[in-house]
Amino acid sequence: KQYVGLKRWGCMSATGSFVISLDFELMWGVRDKRTIGDYGRNILGGRKAIPAMLALFQERGIACTWATVGLLMCDSRDEILATLPTRKPDYRDRALSPYDGVSAIGRSEDDDPYHYGASLVDRIRQTPLQEIGTHTFSHFYCLEEGGDVDAFRADLAAVRTVAKRRGLALTSMVFPRNQYTEDHLNACREQGITAFRGNEDVWFHAARAGNGQTALMRGFRLADTYLPIAGALAPKPAHSAGLVNIASSRFLRPFAMPRLEPVRLRRITAAMTEAAQTGGVFHLWWHPHNFGLNSEDNLAFLSRILDHFGELSRRHRMRSMNMGQIAAETIDGSGGAAHQ
């Protein structure tokens, strides 16, 4: 195995860590921008890619946090209706709310694989080193007008209810579209969340509402995929009052331009190497549906990243860890009590 585990090396502050988190959403994450007609192939392809990713992770000993939308964890429309939060967001843009459309989805995963994914959650749970985290119950938008903190608290209560039915204790949070404020972080603390994926510390990755995402920002993010504009972005975890920020390092864009793939790979592996050498965390993330098209190419690219991790684990004792493990180690190391 290429994995260098926690038990073997212990808590070594100078040891870098490799973290993967996946935003597991199905249609709930894109429903305000896409339809099943124009994006359904990606969703179904993503479903097929998940077992392949899990097999690859198990083969290589790779830990991962699957930040899962609570709605897709439900077995049926009846369970969704029985678990709706007591207070819903009052978005100015009504298209952002999924609740008006619940009556139109299928009754269960058997007839609607676009909205239900409980069987995939079970498969993830059965794979070693995989953590189920939360991506909120409804794919909640914290910075959109109407995404107030009280509604966010109700959303977290709903996702905890559906998770508890499945014997899950959620301690890691990934905010939909990377939107959050300090008030939303405080609400996470109240609900027992110990880890969240913060944004890269560079202006074009700052948390913003949808209407604040400019073409210039998107252009810089795309360019940074291939050029070291923002640097390695592999900091150590930041701990504040029981909540650990495991900041993002890089979004793994899907396969698109074959001639530039070696450049994209070097951009990622160079940052991984810096994290391994400096004791930082390289945090890679994407959505399963990003692998929905060109799945073989995307999985092959991921394999090359994991090959590099294997080399770094041998040379620098780099560890593969999920967000929950990073948070527990960070809180314990700072004298706090970690949530298990």
Side-chain angles (χ1 to χ4, degrees):
K1 295 289 185 182
Q2 296 178 337
Y3 174 62
V4 178
L6 290 170
K7 291 184 179 179
R8 182 175 177 185
W9 297 115
C11 297
M12 300 176 61
S13 59
T15 301
S17 301
F18 177 49
V19 175
I20 294 176
S21 62
L22 300 182
D23 298 13
F24 185 22
E25 309 167 343
L26 298 180
M27 279 300 297
W28 299 110
V30 297
R31 47 162 297 282
D32 60 308
K33 297 177 179 293
R34 305 278 194 163
T35 66
I36 290 175
D38 64 27
Y39 205 71
R41 286 181 58 213
N42 301 67
I43 299 299
L44 296 183
R47 290 183 67 102
K48 292 179 180 178
I50 287 173
M53 282 186 254
L54 290 172
L56 186 59
F57 291 161
Q58 185 165 2
E59 175 190 350
R60 306 294 188 93
I62 299 297
C64 178
T65 294
W66 297 73
T68 305
V69 169
L71 283 163
L72 75 81
M73 296 171 66
C74 294
D75 283 325
S76 65
R77 191 196 308 156
D78 288 342
E79 184 178 5
I80 289 176
L81 294 173
T83 316
L84 296 180
T86 55
R87 175 169 177 167
K88 302 177 182 64
D90 186 21
Y91 298 122
R92 181 176 182 179
D93 179 1
R94 293 301 302 170
L96 296 176
S97 176
Y99 297 117
D100 294 342
V102 167
S103 61
I105 69 173
R107 291 187 173 275
S108 68
E109 191 171 355
D110 289 338
D111 63 359
D112 189 347
Y114 304 100
H115 292 96
Y116 298 95
S119 68
L120 292 171
V121 173
D122 288 340
R123 191 156 185 170
I124 294 164
R125 294 179 68 185
Q126 293 163 8
T127 304
L129 305 176
Q130 309 306 294
E131 175 194 22
I132 303 295
T134 182
H135 203 37
T136 73
F137 181 73
S138 64
H139 205 258
F140 193 98
Y141 303 109
C142 294
L143 296 185
E144 303 299 337
E145 188 173 345
D148 64 274
V149 177
D150 286 338
F152 180 68
R153 288 192 181 94
D155 185 281
L156 291 184
V159 78
R160 284 209 171 280
T161 296
V162 71
K164 185 176 181 179
R165 291 191 192 117
R166 284 149 182 80
L168 292 168
L170 306 175
T171 62
S172 296
M173 162 67 76
V174 171
F175 289 94
R177 299 193 184 155
N178 303 306
Q179 297 181 7
Y180 60 91
T181 69
E182 190 62 37
D183 288 339
H184 294 94
L185 293 178
N186 288 333
C188 287
R189 287 187 180 91
E190 295 166 6
Q191 292 283 344
I193 298 294
T194 58
F196 75 101
R197 188 181 73 207
N199 297 329
E200 295 95 317
D201 188 17
V202 60
W203 68 270
F204 50 84
H205 284 292
R208 295 174 187 264
N211 59 13
Q213 297 290 341
T214 66
L216 181 64
M217 295 176 68
R218 290 190 290 270
F220 266 89
R221 289 198 292 266
L222 177 60
D224 191 49
T225 301
Y226 303 98
L227 303 172
I229 295 172
L233 295 175
K236 295 181 180 180
H239 176 210
S240 176
L243 189 61
V244 180
N245 179 2
I246 307 166
S248 167
S249 301
R250 184 143 309 276
F251 170 59
L252 183 61
R253 290 182 180 272
F255 178 88
M257 295 181 281
R259 292 184 179 180
L260 290 180
E261 292 301 271
V263 179
R264 182 164 72 104
L265 182 63
R266 284 195 297 272
R267 177 77 175 102
I268 292 170
T269 56
M272 291 173 65
T273 299
E274 182 164 328
Q277 294 174 339
T278 63
V281 175
F282 183 81
H283 191 163
L284 187 68
W285 69 278
W286 68 95
H287 312 83
H289 59 74
N290 295 139
F291 281 26
L293 301 182
N294 303 309
S295 295
E296 290 185 4
D297 293 313
N298 284 304
L299 288 165
F301 190 89
L302 176 60
S303 293
R304 289 192 285 273
I305 293 172
L306 300 185
D307 288 343
H308 188 68
F309 165 73
E311 181 63 25
L312 294 174
S313 72
R314 289 187 292 270
R315 295 179 60 188
H316 301 289
R317 299 182 175 182
M318 193 179 206
R319 302 171 296 171
S320 173
M321 302 176 72
N322 60 45
M323 291 175 63
Q325 290 172 324
I326 289 277
E329 181 178 279
T330 301
I331 294 172
D332 281 346
S334 63
H339 293 262
Q340 300 295 328

